[in-house]
Amino acid sequence: MESKVSENIRINAANIAHKELNSMVKQAVMRGVKRIELFNVHGQRYIGTDIFEPVEITIEGTPGNDLGAFMNGQRLLVYGNAQDGSGNTMNGGEIIIHGHAGDITGLAVRGGQILVRDDVGYRAGIHMKEYKEKKPVFIVGGTAQDFAGEYMAGGVMVLLGLNLEPGSKHNSRYIGTGMHGGIIYIRGDFEDYQLGKEVGVAELDEADIKQLSGLVNIYTGHFGGDATSILNGKFKKLYPRSLRPYGRLYAY
Amino acid sequence: MKSYLPTKFIIERDREQCISCQVCINQCTCQAHYFDSQDNEVYARPEKCVSCHRCVVFCPTGALRVRRNTSEYRDNYNWRPEIVDDITKQAESGGVLLTGMGNDKPYKIYWDHLLLNASQVTNPSIDPLREPMELATYLGQKPDSVQVGPDNTLAKNLPPQLKLDVPVMFSAMSYGAVSLNVQHSLARAAAESGTYWNTGEGGLHHSLYDYAESTIVQVASGRFGVFADYLNAGAAVEIKIGQGAKPGIGGHLPGEKVSADVSLTRMIPEGTDAISPAPHHDIYSIEDLAQLIWALKEATNYTRPISVKIAAVHNASAIASGMVRAGADIVVIDGLRGSTGAAPKVIRDSVGIPIELALASVDSRLRQEGIRNRASLVIAGGIRNSSDVAKAIALGADAVYIGTAALVALGCHVCQQCHTGKCSWGICTTDPGYTRRINPEIGARRLNNLLRGWSLEIKDMLGGLGVNALESLRGNRLHLRGVSLTDSELEILGVRMAGR
């Protein structure tokens, strides 16, 4: 008779280092476990890295830096806040953070989805890129610190601004500096000086509204809220004014 | 705007030897030759010539010579022709001057001031023709001590190592900067000669996964083509922080070089600029570097050595100490003469320090701190021949990277036009009409020949020193003496003056 592998496992992450914790996770995945719940997580790095099965990992507590770095199709659910570098150079999968996330969240992401219920730190979504069907999505419920979407080369970033006080503006300055691909949808107020000089501003067209409506529904599907009233807010589309922002830099 | 730039080269055609076969026209990528059908003669447009010698080598009758244009400026040590030309170019374009290859300025080449020892009378030299000579080199972290078990095997596994049969690897040259045929030549030669080639930051083309065991995959600030399969494909992963040709700045692969195939490997849309930011935006400190090193160790399940490459800069030794403490298994220092496919000329020619001094100070510093065993030290940037390799190893390197020397083996004539994408030798270009000029089978043979020649010469030098293993030369600066060097230079190099 075949031995049955338990589909689910719970791991207490208290007082173990990242290498050990990740090794336990990898071993569980190799045994065929499909859902892993980590609790008492307190700053262990690289959770979700180097896994090649489509598993779901639930994280209770505070995962450390580089959550899901180089991740390739797994699903990470964080019940708490994430630190810096979540989704670093991620290739596919989902990171869903029920809280806020630190700096360089979504650095160089090339595929998959990152959803943050609240705010993100500095340089979020920096150098996101896309290639053919690989088109990353990064949705932030709140606002971002400076340099959101810097060097953006592809994908879609959404800043919903849900927690902005009436009359207040988004935090980020230098939004989309060096942007040469991708799209940022931004809801709520900002001043022109908050944008990088490579960024253009446009109203949403029908295709944008259709795309955005799908993305907002993904957000409310995870974190609750009323998609229609969010979509009724004031959105602008930020786009790269040139695919070659540095084309005229050189003598020849 | 009329250009005031003078013509740099003159093309001389021996009319008695020229048979108007037009090979020169077909070989030239700069349109410096043309056929006049009325005269039934081939003529030159010398102002287009970059002196790459493609036509000279391929002319079947040897009818061509390329010479420097003899019309001279009035002598002026300050306002030299190159400086006048550079100002003229900028006045006509208003941009950053680009160039290719490495620093070509007359900074002191310390290799040429270092001399190796040989055994005479008091201890015998060894004849490599009849004695085995060991060149094998292992790159990676070495433990502070080893325990041997009862069956004479290691009781505890060593950290992951790269094994080199010859202490020379091929420098990072990305697909996009060089052609796929060049990478195939390098990869095949690395596999056959028992060494490694390096992908550069442009990802790994699927046709090269066959050579994965001889491949070092690179992760640079643009993160192009970096994903789990790529990281696990290579024998080692290298984080590129900096490059000798352009310390401190990033890179822009212009959109016109991002062909369908290059876009596939870099994982970006065709025709868009591939922009590598100056820093990795997740690395602003040694602690951040440690984070990426350990992320890559985690991503490769601790089975691959992680290398970190920096340009040789003023504080290289302190930085290298930080890199080792951050967990780098291999430290790579790329010197002032390090080459590039494209860099601002002002940076290439004015930033960084000579590799010989950087190597000596990094090796000394790591020894002083007692952490030299925790990482291997590899140097790059201007290594020209086997004696440079031997001297580098005596100064403290574990191995060297060669870039330009490897390209010269493939045909490069160092015309410094890499940035134009019009390499007539088919090396630094992605134009399919030119890339065909490199045949990977012949290219690999040429590279293997070079490495074989250097290996034989290194064995000769070792034998002369009276040692039979490269390990006996490594970091042994007593085998070196300096000539025409100041006391400070000798002190930094840790080498005695010849005669002492």
Side-chain angles (χ1 to χ4, degrees), chain A residues 213-251:
Chain A
S213 154
L215 298 177
V216 169
N217 275 292
I218 292 174
Y219 178 88
T220 55
H222 285 287
F223 304 123
D226 178 19
T228 314
S229 75
I230 294 174
L231 284 162
N232 281 337
K234 195 172 77 177
F235 278 95
K236 295 274 193 216
K237 172 167 82 168
L238 309 182
Y239 65 92
R241 287 220 279 242
S242 164
L243 301 181
R244 307 281 314 273
Y246 305 115
R248 235 195 67 78
L249 206 57
Y250 302 114

Side-chain angles (χ1 to χ4, degrees), chain A residues 18-23 26 30 45-47 49-52 64-67 69-72 84-85 88-91 104 107-108 110 123 126-127 129-132 134 150-151 153-154 178-181 243-252, chain B residues 89-90 93-99 219 221-229 231-232 252 254-256 260 263-264 266-273 275-278 281-282 284 287 290-292 294-296 298-302 344-345 419-420:
Chain A
H18 72 77
K19 195 173 164 183
E20 202 183 329
L21 177 63
N22 290 326
S23 166
K26 289 181 202 180
M30 276 194 283
R45 292 177 173 180
Y46 322 123
I47 296 172
T49 296
D50 194 36
I51 297 173
F52 295 86
N65 291 354
D66 278 354
L67 171 71
F70 311 110
M71 196 171 77
N72 214 3
D84 296 342
N88 188 348
T89 322
M90 176 171 120
N91 196 48
I104 52 165
L107 169 88
R110 68 173 78 262
R123 308 193 304 281
I126 182 170
H127 219 160
K129 36 182 99 66
E130 66 182 61
Y131 180 68
K132 295 191 171 164
K134 285 230 171 274
E150 191 185 12
Y151 285 121
M179 186 173 182
H180 54 289
L243 301 181
R244 307 281 314 273
Y246 305 115
R248 235 195 67 78
L249 206 57
Y250 302 114
Y252 39 77
Chain B
K89 278 179 204 163
Q90 291 193 297
S93 67
V96 173
L97 295 169
L98 280 184
T99 188
V219 174
S221 66
R223 303 286 158 86
F224 297 111
V226 176
F227 66 115
D229 294 355
L231 296 175
N232 283 289
H252 299 165
E256 52 266 23
S263 92
L264 173 78
R266 295 211 174 212
M267 299 176 168
I268 52 168
E270 214 176 315
T272 56
D273 278 9
I275 297 176
S276 295
H281 280 287
D282 50 352
Y284 289 0
E287 292 76 10
Q291 181 174 315
L292 185 61
W294 288 92
L296 292 168
E298 188 73 50
T300 53
N301 205 20
Y302 303 89
K345 189 167 180 280
H419 59 291
T420 63

